[in-house]
Structure formats: structure tokens, C-alpha cells
Amino acid sequence: MKYNKTDKKDNTFNCWVCSNEIEPFMSFGKQPIANNFLLEKDFDNEYFFEMETAFCPNCYSFQLKNQPSPEQMFNENYAFFSGTSKLMADHFKKFSSMVLSFIESDKDPFVVEIGSNDGIMLTNFAKKNIKHLGIDPSENVVNVSKEKGINAVVDFFDEEVAKKTVEKYGKASAFIAANVMCHIPYINSIVDGIDILMKDDGVVIFEDPYLGEVVKKTTYDQIYDEHTFLFSAHSIKEIFARKGFELIDLIPQETHGGSMRYILAKKGARTVSKNVSEILNLEQDQGLTSPETFKIFKNNCEEYKRKLLSTLEEIRSSGKSIAGYAATSKSTTIINYCGITNNHIDCIYDTTPIKQGKFSPGSHIPIKPHSDFSQNYPDYALLFGYNHSKEIFAKEKDFVAQGGKWITYVPDIKII
Ligand code: SAH
Ligand code: TYD
Ligand code: ZN
């Protein structure tokens, strides 16, 4: 795996994609590892890094300057299990049907997924006895997928792993991924690997949180250690062009607060949907190719920070209690950038066993099991899992019936 940390004296660095020299437009301050829920004994050794973001005007990649090494983030203690959301399971079932529709004429289909995690996606292929392989470096989540009968290996995908995969299984009909391509700083090696792995008429389908939505809604919480990139159609077009791939479709998704599904194939191999030029034009109009847009984005982030803190402080000064709801990775940026502490919120309720009984990264707010929430409703619940609001509001009707109020901050700071 190729991973070169940038280490220059001035604040410039080389774009992860095109090596153009660029400079961060903003810092979110010292940030911890967003999924590193920790015990009190580990507070003194917690890892922090200066989280700065930059935009490359040459290849349109929105990116982090620095981040922890991939091994620090993705290992046998990885805390994110995809299967915690039922709606995401439905989402991936539909995703898999779409993949199948692209490869239905293939007599010997083979689907490779990277970031396969606990098998939430591949289970749909395994059930249909379709040859598949999951590749994911986090051993604990891979083990869960294996228990579900999924064929998976613990590894960081790159061109070397692609070669080994072809030797063992042959070439792939579909390369798929969700919420992982944007995690990988050595993205050029991933594209080289995809090129090695794919059949000539193979299809690449992946989705990630979308830069256009982040800019539109100021959802800066999508920026955290794992997200090296926030992609747009323009940036994906550039990243894949080097190996002769073209975008053949773009499909906006509601997941993770607004994502984009990118579908690519070798140039000329498949029909190009009119969505591609439409979305590229919309991105031009939105300013996603212009550095000026990110100056405005920075101001919006600062404004959001002031508003959220003053809302919490007002509630606390009136003597009411606030608890966080869902210890998402995204909440790590909100909490640490805004300076939210245990004085603002008493604890965060979450359904993931590995997070419970631990403390949130950076600001060390206690994480409690979701089952305790209804035993001890707070006056206000700060909804860190806003991207699951439909699912959460439906299951927490009692909280509201008993006078509880939600504080949400996307798309605006609101009390409902
Ligand atoms: N696809 C799932 C999981 C996303 S979390 C979903 O959308 O819910 C990101 C996953 O990518 C983690 O399980 C992490 O271990 C994995 N990952 C990180 N870098 C990777 C790489 N180079 N190759 C394959 N998987 C990787
Ligand atoms: P998600 O937005 O997928 O996380 P991330 O920002 O890490 O990508 O949310 C997953 C977290 O939310 C996980 O810790 C479980 C928690 N959660 C709840 O506590 N209750 C719920 O009803 C749901 C849907 C998620
Ligand atoms: Zn670049």
C-alpha cells in the first residue's frame, strides 16, 4: 500500500491525486481519530492531528492535508458496523439489484467489493450464489461477514491485491464500494488496481458522501480523519480518466446526508446516460470547480459553529439537560470543532456495543447504551445521527410524547 505523508516546511502539500502543489483553505483544529471510542486509561495517549482541508483547482479534489495512517484507522478494533441501520440494509439490497442489472449478460459473474465491512452488501450476492469477494482491512468486521457466509479477506485493496485477486479468482465483472473510496489517500493505486482487476466490459459502481451536498448544506461533519476526499463528478472524472475509464451514469442518493453513486466503465464500452452531462453542468453552476466556493464554505462553517454552541449554552443556562443521540463518526468533527464538552451534553446514547461504556474521541463524553435512553429521557436530544432521522424519529415517538425535544443541525439548527 502506498501512503506518503506530506511533510513540508511551509503549509503547502502535493494533491493526493495530481501532485499539484496546493495549500489548505481552512483548519478544523486538533482532531482525534473519529472512530476511536476510548477508555479513561487511554486518554493521555490519545492521537490528535491538525485537520486541514484543501481544494485542488487542477483536478477538483476536495481533500485533507493530513490524516492518521490507514492502519491507525482501519484495524481489528474498527468501531463502525454497517449493519446497525436497517434502512442501510434495504439500501444495499437495492444497490445489489442495480449491480446485477449491469452484469446480467455475464455468464460467469464475479463481484468484488472493497470496504465490505460486516457484509451488509455482499450478503445479497452470497444468497444468490454469485461468486463474490469482500476486501476489507478491519478484521473484526470481516469476521462478522464471514459468519454470514461471505467470502472475504482482511486486506487494504490496492494494485498488488488486485493482481493477487486476478490470479486466484480471475477478472471481475463488477467492482463495487460504498463509503470507502473517499477514505483512501493512495486513490491512484486503487484506480490502477481496478484497471488490473476488471474485465473489458466490467462496471465500477461506488457511492460516497457528495461534495455538492456538503457545500450546499454546510455539513462539514462529513470532514473527518477517514474522509481523505469529498468527491464530486468532476473529481471522479479526473481520477479515473488516467486509466481510460469514463462516467456512464451518476445517481444522487439520500444516504449519509446526501451521497452520489458513480458508475464508470472503460471508454466506449457502455452507453453514457444524459445524467452525466447534466450533473457536471450543475456542479459548474454550484461552483464546485472554483476555489472561491470554499472561502464561502469556511465562513459558513464558522457561522454554524457559533450558532450551535450558543443554542446549547442557552438551553444549559436554563437548567435543562441535553444528551447526544448516536455516536456517529461525523459527530467527532462537530464536537471537537465546536468545543462541545460534557458541560453541554451529559452523554451520548448509541446502539453499537463496542462504543458503549467508552468515551467519545477528543472531548471524552460518556457513551451509553441506547437501552438506557428511555430509562432517563433528557429534556433535549442532540441528533448526531441526523442522516438516520426517519428511522430514529419513528422509533423514539415516546421521547417526544413525554415532552422531549430534538435539536437538529442539518440543514439548519432547529429545535423540534
Ligand atoms: N461499505 C460499508 C462500510 C463503510 S466503512 C458501508 O457503506 O456501510 C469503510 C470501510 O472501508 C471499513 O470497513 C474499512 O475497514 C474499509 N477500508 C478502508 N480502507 C480500505 C481499503 N484500502 N480497501 C478495502 N477496504 C478499506
Ligand atoms: P452513521 O451515520 O452510519 O455513522 P458514521 O457517521 O459513523 O458514518 O451512524 C452510525 C452510528 O449511529 C452508530 O454508532 C450507531 C448509531 N445509531 C444509533 O445509535 N441509533 C440508531 O437508530 C441508528 C440508525 C444509528
Ligand atoms: Zn489535484
Side-chain angles (χ1 to χ4, degrees), residues 108 110 131-133 151-153 164-171:
D108 180 24
F110 174 37
K131 187 164 103 178
H132 64 272
L133 175 69
N151 183 35
V153 289
K164 281 193 262 169
T165 306
V166 175
E167 275 163 27
K168 189 161 176 194
Y169 298 94
K171 292 204 171 197

Side-chain angles (χ1 to χ4, degrees), residues 118-361:
D118 59 10
I120 191 166
M121 169 97 82
L122 284 181
T123 189
N124 300 299
F125 297 95
K127 276 184 201 151
K128 293 193 161 76
N129 284 324
I130 291 171
K131 187 164 103 178
H132 64 272
L133 175 69
I135 302 172
D136 194 304
S138 301
E139 190 173 359
N140 57 341
V141 295
V142 169
N143 287 342
V144 174
S145 75
K146 285 183 177 165
E147 281 159 24
K148 294 179 189 159
I150 282 152
N151 183 35
V153 289
V154 179
D155 221 333
F156 286 94
F157 181 75
D158 64 4
E159 72 220 76
E160 294 310 317
V161 175
K163 280 182 203 152
K164 281 193 262 169
T165 306
V166 175
E167 275 163 27
K168 189 161 176 194
Y169 298 94
K171 292 204 171 197
S173 332
F175 173 95
I176 60 177
N179 309 304
V180 54
M181 292 289 279
C182 71
H183 291 52
I184 306 180
Y186 44 98
I187 191 77
N188 290 332
S189 174
I190 299 295
V191 176
D192 292 347
I194 293 174
D195 190 41
I196 292 166
L197 185 65
M198 302 306 289
K199 294 181 181 172
D200 292 342
D201 62 346
V203 64
V204 179
I205 310 182
F206 66 91
E207 61 190 32
D208 282 295
Y210 180 52
L211 180 65
E213 287 294 317
V214 171
V215 167
K216 187 162 90 193
K217 301 195 284 214
T218 320
T219 42
Y220 63 84
D221 56 348
Q222 285 294 357
I223 302 165
Y224 56 90
D225 61 345
E226 292 179 19
H227 289 174
T228 320
F229 299 106
L230 284 173
F231 294 131
S232 62
H234 274 87
S235 62
I236 291 300
K237 186 174 171 224
E238 293 291 325
I239 290 170
F240 278 86
R242 195 174 46 86
K243 284 285 171 183
F245 287 95
E246 66 178 352
L247 279 165
I248 58 165
D249 209 349
L250 290 165
I251 309 174
Q253 306 291 320
E254 281 182 10
T255 48
H256 287 287
S259 298
M260 183 64 81
R261 185 173 296 165
Y262 305 92
I263 309 181
L264 299 110
K266 273 292 165 92
K267 205 165 174 43
R270 290 181 184 249
T271 324
V272 178
S273 154
K274 66 176 181 8
N275 292 346
V276 174
S277 57
E278 276 176 15
I279 290 181
L280 287 170
N281 287 339
L282 284 175
E283 289 189 351
Q284 286 276 356
D285 296 346
Q286 200 193 345
L288 297 189
T289 52
S290 157
E292 289 306 305
T293 303
F294 300 97
K295 292 188 183 150
I296 302 168
F297 176 69
K298 175 178 189 264
N299 291 339
N300 292 345
C301 291
E302 289 165 355
E303 177 68 17
Y304 249 67
K305 170 179 174 166
R306 278 193 292 274
K307 272 199 198 152
L308 182 58
L309 257 192
S310 64
T311 305
L312 299 181
E313 281 166 2
E314 237 169 71
I315 294 172
R316 291 296 291 139
S317 61
S318 69
K320 304 277 190 201
S321 62
I322 313 174
Y325 193 103
T328 57
S329 331
K330 293 184 285 292
S331 67
T332 300
T333 300
I334 299 279
I335 291 172
N336 292 285
Y337 172 63
C338 296
I340 297 172
T341 68
N342 209 189
N343 293 331
H344 300 103
I345 58 178
D346 297 326
C347 63
I348 306 173
Y349 293 103
D350 192 279
T351 51
T352 317
I354 194 174
K355 298 182 185 177
Q356 297 160 1
K358 294 194 177 144
F359 293 83
S360 71

Side-chain angles (χ1 to χ4, degrees), residues 35 37 79-81 84-86 88 222 224 227 256 325-331 349-352 355 370 384-385 387-388 391-392 395-396:
N35 262 312
F37 293 83
F80 178 76
F81 288 74
T84 49
S85 164
K86 283 198 182 60
M88 287 308 286
Q222 285 294 357
Y224 56 90
H227 289 174
H256 287 287
Y325 193 103
T328 57
S329 331
K330 293 184 285 292
S331 67
Y349 293 103
D350 192 279
T351 51
T352 317
K355 298 182 185 177
H370 168 258
F384 290 128
N387 48 315
H388 302 289
E391 184 170 354
I392 292 172
K395 76 176 179 198
E396 303 297 358

